[in-house]
Amino acid sequence: MEKIDLSGEIKKIRARGAEVSSTTLVKTNTLRIVLMALRAGARLREHHADGRLSLQVLEGEIELTVENTKHQLSTGMLADLEARAPHGVAARSEAALLLTIAWPSSETEAEQAEAAAHRKTGYS
């Protein structure tokens, strides 16, 4: 287990002074977690991720365009997108985002079934 101080990491990447700055916090074969800081007015042009993703606004306000539809997101909001969904981001104010991308694992069907059974443990 690793603990990450998001507030401290945001300060570090903002100190770089770039319009858009990021750091990868977690990187495995099936999961990527990236912290991003955007200055007001900064844009990420339309692109896509090969895995399903979530985008959580930790600070500020952004406009998330997904498949040509604009969505306003502010502090505390989370969006989730299907794999390969075209999307872009525009910062309406200074913003900090937590991007999580997940890819399917290469487990066998038996390993997937065992993992699925385990995921139900402790939930009602």
Side-chain angles (χ1 to χ4, degrees):
M1 183 186 104
E2 182 179 355
K3 295 190 298 184
I4 299 167
D5 174 11
L6 293 176
S7 295
E9 292 296 325
I10 290 168
K11 287 177 187 173
K12 286 180 195 176
I13 60 176
R14 281 195 173 137
R16 296 177 190 163
E19 285 290 306
V20 177
S21 190
S22 66
T23 187
T24 300
L25 302 173
V26 175
K27 183 177 181 179
T28 71
N29 291 338
T30 58
L31 180 69
R32 186 97 14 106
I33 302 175
V34 178
L35 182 64
M36 303 174 70
L38 292 83
R39 287 191 178 179
R43 294 185 172 280
L44 299 174
R45 63 180 174 80
E46 187 176 272
H47 59 285
H48 75 276
D50 289 331
R52 184 176 190 95
L53 68 88
S54 72
L55 187 63
Q56 180 180 1
V57 181
L58 301 175
E59 297 176 1
E61 295 181 7
I62 65 165
E63 181 176 87
L64 174 65
T65 303
V66 181
E67 298 178 350
N68 298 315
T69 302
K70 296 178 189 240
H71 305 273
Q72 307 306 313
L73 300 175
S74 57
T75 301
M77 297 181 80
L78 175 92
D80 103 285
L81 284 71
E82 294 289 335
R84 291 176 291 289
H87 62 281
V89 174
R92 296 172 51 95
S93 68
E94 188 168 292
L97 312 174
L98 192 63
L99 168 67
T100 303
I101 306 171
W103 294 273
S105 73
S106 57
E107 297 173 322
T108 65
E109 285 186 33
E111 290 169 328
Q112 288 175 359
E114 182 180 338
H118 174 73
R119 287 184 196 114
K120 294 179 184 174
T121 304
Y123 297 98
S124 52

